[in-house]
Amino acid sequence: MTGALRGVVALDGPSGTGKTTVARKLAAALGAGYLDTGAMYRVVTLAVLDAGVDPHDADAVVALARSVRLDVSTDPAAPGARLEGTDVGEAIRTPRVDAAVSAVSAVPELRDLLVQRQRALIAEAARDGGVVVDGRDIGTVVAPDAPLKVFLTASPEVRAARRGAQDTAAGREADQATVLASVERRDRLDSSRAASPLRPADDAVEFDTSELSIDQVLAALTELAGTRGLLDEGVAEPCR
Ligand code: DC
């Protein structure tokens, strides 16, 4: 019997660390909400590309982001993203979006806008319990008071192999060398940008997931949440 989560779990790290899968499964197992902040940057990037806007044109990116409607689900059982009401869950995971999302997410005013929305979504999801938030700057910027901050890492080769497997499973062609180059390029850009670069919070617990299965990471995080007193015991089943 696992208790239900109370409070915010901030889960940061580069892509291919298992972060998104772990965040969603942890939220589902602990009856909590789930927020994929990367999906929000991806939806804006898709809108930018579809509108023919230059991803490096900060003013145009922000103007567009203010004018479009983007929605992300906070239900771990039904994750999803919408742009102007249209389901874009698949379209935001293409190489075209991968290639442009770092430029878009480096725009400081866009980050301010999305961080505000993320905080509102977190507050709403956490009203009746807990929420697991997946991103790059959750522990450092979005939710610096989160009672549990985790930073997942894995070697670039392992992360590229996981990304390649995801692409193949989704029916997209995946050449390992190209995927590795894309993963390394995005990490470099995400870690070196001036606005909220990818880095662990000082009080984050770091996990190298290279040699760990998703279930092993989940077990470790559930134990950590329990140790921190974030689990309400006595809840037989996840309630969300
Ligand atoms: O987690 P992901 O791969 O879906 O994220 C897509 C991009 O969005 C990633 O390259 C960095 C950016 N991102 C960010 O800058 N801040 C976040 N909180 C989440 C994602």
Side-chain angles (χ1 to χ4, degrees), residues 39-40 42-51 64-65 67-72 80-89 91-92 96 117:
M40 298 171 76
R42 286 175 177 275
V43 175
V44 173
T45 303
L46 181 67
V48 161
L49 294 174
D50 285 353
L64 185 71
S67 72
V68 296
R69 206 177 96 225
L70 85 90
D71 301 291
V72 290
R82 293 184 172 271
L83 174 60
E84 298 293 358
T86 300
D87 180 351
V88 291
I92 61 172
R96 173 176 172 249
R117 293 193 192 169

Side-chain angles (χ1 to χ4, degrees), residues 11-16 19-20 36-42 45 92-93 97-98 100-106 111 115 118 133-138 142 163 186-187 189-190 193 195-198:
L11 206 52
D12 290 306
S15 63
K19 194 165 44 85
T20 301
D36 175 1
T37 59
M40 298 171 76
Y41 289 97
R42 286 175 177 275
T45 303
I92 61 172
R93 311 261 166 216
V97 171
D98 281 351
V101 69
S102 289
V104 169
S105 60
R111 301 199 67 84
V115 167
Q118 288 157 13
V133 189
D134 162 5
R136 300 290 191 289
D137 59 343
I138 310 306
V142 178
R163 273 308 301 264
R186 203 141 59 85
D187 290 348
L189 293 172
D190 294 344
R193 69 183 175 217
S196 310
L198 168 66

Side-chain angles (χ1 to χ4, degrees), residues 99-167:
V101 69
S102 289
V104 169
S105 60
V107 174
E109 297 83 354
L110 174 69
R111 301 199 67 84
D112 290 346
L113 182 73
L114 292 190
V115 167
Q116 273 179 34
R117 293 193 192 169
Q118 288 157 13
R119 287 183 179 147
L121 287 165
I122 291 167
E124 198 182 309
R127 202 176 299 139
D128 304 320
V131 57
V132 181
V133 189
D134 162 5
R136 300 290 191 289
D137 59 343
I138 310 306
T140 52
V141 175
V142 178
D145 297 330
L148 177 57
K149 300 175 187 176
V150 177
F151 195 87
L152 298 185
T153 62
S155 71
E157 290 73 20
V158 166
R159 294 191 289 112
R162 288 176 183 164
R163 273 308 301 264
Q166 275 170 8
D167 287 344

